[in-house]
Amino acid sequence: MKNIILAADIGGTTCKLGIFDTKLERLHKWSIETDTSDHTGRTLLRQVFDSFKEATESYHFDLQNVIGVGIGVPGPVDFETGIVHGAVNLHWPGNVNVREIFSEFIDCPVYVDNDANVAALGEKHKGAGQGANDVVAITLGTGLGGGIISNGEIVHGHNGSGAEIGHIRTDFDQRFNCNCGKSGCIETVASATGVVNLVNFYYPKLTFKSSILSLIKENKVTAKAVFDAAKAGDQFCIFITEKVANHIAYLCSIISATSNPKYIVLGGGMSTAGLILIENIKTEYHNLTFTPAQKDTEIVQAKLGNDAGITGAAGLIKTYIIEKDGVK
């Protein structure tokens, strides 16, 4: 009887791997180092499979009982084909058909998606968005990414660029260049990098004194330092926190008016700033957002942390095979 799911969250440094049951209860998890020496991806994917094979044998599972394999990858993915269109962090400059390669190693369905999408799916199934079919996850890290779950399924768009929410323009003065080649993207003002951008932009223009002045002068400012100082009452850092929160709230208002999620889940390192950031986001969100679109929508902190990726990767199999009874 097929009763287990294999899940991989492939990152630039490590690959988080897991075995799940059909209810997405995690049975085992472990990790391996990411081998980026082979630009075709084949070597790394073989290492992932070999680790799965070794683990299933060690834990007395049978590969014949695998329902499917879910894989999250840090790059743009064509969900229908399983092709990753370049993954900078993995040193994959060209197209890599992850589904096709992995299917050479194991005889079962293989589903591949972008890592932010699978993290959102993880929060929908077992995290802060559990029990809802409409969930949006916003990852606040070095950059800003996310995923949109609508009617229980990931929003991909016609070419896989759906839910690239980090590149919605919220800074209409376009003060900072984005890695995407444009300027004014929310990633430039509301990620960890964006916090530093705002500090360096505003500090010379304002009369606030700040406890992080030495960090500013030494070019060692971090988002964590700003939020910690804001919690301690530093007026300049409170100002920056409110600016960041306003940008995120504006993004949330756009999301609510377009996909109307039950939960907007905030994850990533910056989400651990806690109430000083999240409560400011909520306040501005309620001021900005179309009233019917915000009704009963909750902005919450992510629950799964680093396990969101493998949980969501397993969730691909639950969503597209188990819950659809083999339709896809």
Side-chain angles (χ1 to χ4, degrees), residues 164-176:
E164 288 288 349
I165 58 178
H167 301 291
I168 292 174
R169 179 175 289 168
T170 66
D171 179 23
F172 298 106
D173 293 328
Q174 300 178 56
R175 292 168 291 180
F176 312 109

Side-chain angles (χ1 to χ4, degrees), residues 2 4 6 49 52-53 56 61-66 106:
K2 294 183 180 293
I4 59 170
L6 303 182
F49 171 74
F52 278 141
K53 187 172 185 292
T56 52
F61 293 111
D62 189 337
L63 283 178
Q64 298 300 316
N65 292 333
V66 175
I106 188 169

Side-chain angles (χ1 to χ4, degrees), residues 62-266:
D62 189 337
L63 283 178
Q64 298 300 316
N65 292 333
V66 175
I67 300 167
V69 180
I71 303 175
V73 181
V77 178
D78 183 330
F79 183 70
E80 295 300 321
T81 64
I83 295 175
V84 180
H85 297 293
V88 174
N89 291 342
L90 302 179
H91 298 178
W92 296 354
N95 294 340
V96 176
N97 194 324
V98 174
R99 175 182 293 170
E100 184 177 90
I101 293 171
F102 213 87
S103 294
E104 295 174 11
F105 311 139
I106 188 169
D107 184 19
C108 70
V110 177
Y111 281 77
V112 186
D113 212 327
N114 171 265
D115 56 353
N117 285 343
V118 299
L121 195 61
E123 290 290 343
K124 174 252 190 283
H125 277 297
K126 302 296 285 187
Q130 189 169 357
N133 278 327
D134 296 274
V135 177
V136 173
I138 302 175
T139 304
L140 304 168
T142 304
L144 190 152
I148 297 175
I149 313 297
S150 182
N151 293 326
E153 295 193 22
I154 298 169
V155 172
H156 294 103
H158 78 94
N159 68 5
S161 297
E164 288 288 349
I165 58 178
H167 301 291
I168 292 174
R169 179 175 289 168
T170 66
D171 179 23
F172 298 106
D173 293 328
Q174 300 178 56
R175 292 168 291 180
F176 312 109
N177 294 327
C178 183
N179 289 331
C180 73
K182 299 188 181 296
S183 57
C185 298
I186 188 170
E187 183 169 292
T188 68
V189 288
S191 62
T193 303
V195 172
V196 176
N197 284 342
L198 292 179
V199 167
N200 292 332
F201 178 82
Y202 280 111
Y203 197 77
K205 300 174 175 22
L206 300 175
T207 59
F208 290 117
K209 294 182 180 180
S210 178
S211 60
I212 66 166
L213 178 58
S214 62
L215 295 177
I216 296 172
K217 289 181 176 179
E218 295 170 14
N219 199 28
K220 294 181 178 179
V221 177
T222 65
K224 183 179 186 304
V226 171
F227 295 135
D228 286 347
K231 292 173 190 175
D234 184 297
Q235 290 301 303
F236 175 67
C237 291
I238 290 172
F239 170 83
I240 295 295
T241 300
E242 290 175 347
K243 288 288 185 184
V244 171
N246 288 352
H247 283 286
I248 297 171
Y250 180 67
L251 173 63
C252 292
S253 73
I254 293 173
I255 288 169
S256 282
T258 51
S259 70
N260 190 215
K262 168 60 179 171
Y263 295 105
I264 299 175
V265 181
L266 304 179

Side-chain angles (χ1 to χ4, degrees), residues 275-295:
L275 295 180
I276 195 162
L277 179 63
I278 293 175
E279 289 304 314
N280 272 298
I281 292 170
K282 288 180 179 179
T283 298
E284 186 64 8
Y285 168 78
H286 291 306
N287 290 336
L288 289 172
T289 307
F290 177 52
T291 301
Q294 65 171 278
K295 185 177 184 297

Side-chain angles (χ1 to χ4, degrees), residues 24-44:
L24 289 194
E25 295 299 326
R26 190 181 68 239
L27 305 175
H28 300 284
K29 72 169 182 175
W30 69 99
S31 64
I32 62 172
E33 290 187 7
T34 301
D35 184 342
T36 59
S37 62
D38 177 6
H39 295 177
T40 71
R42 182 174 294 275
T43 298
L44 175 58

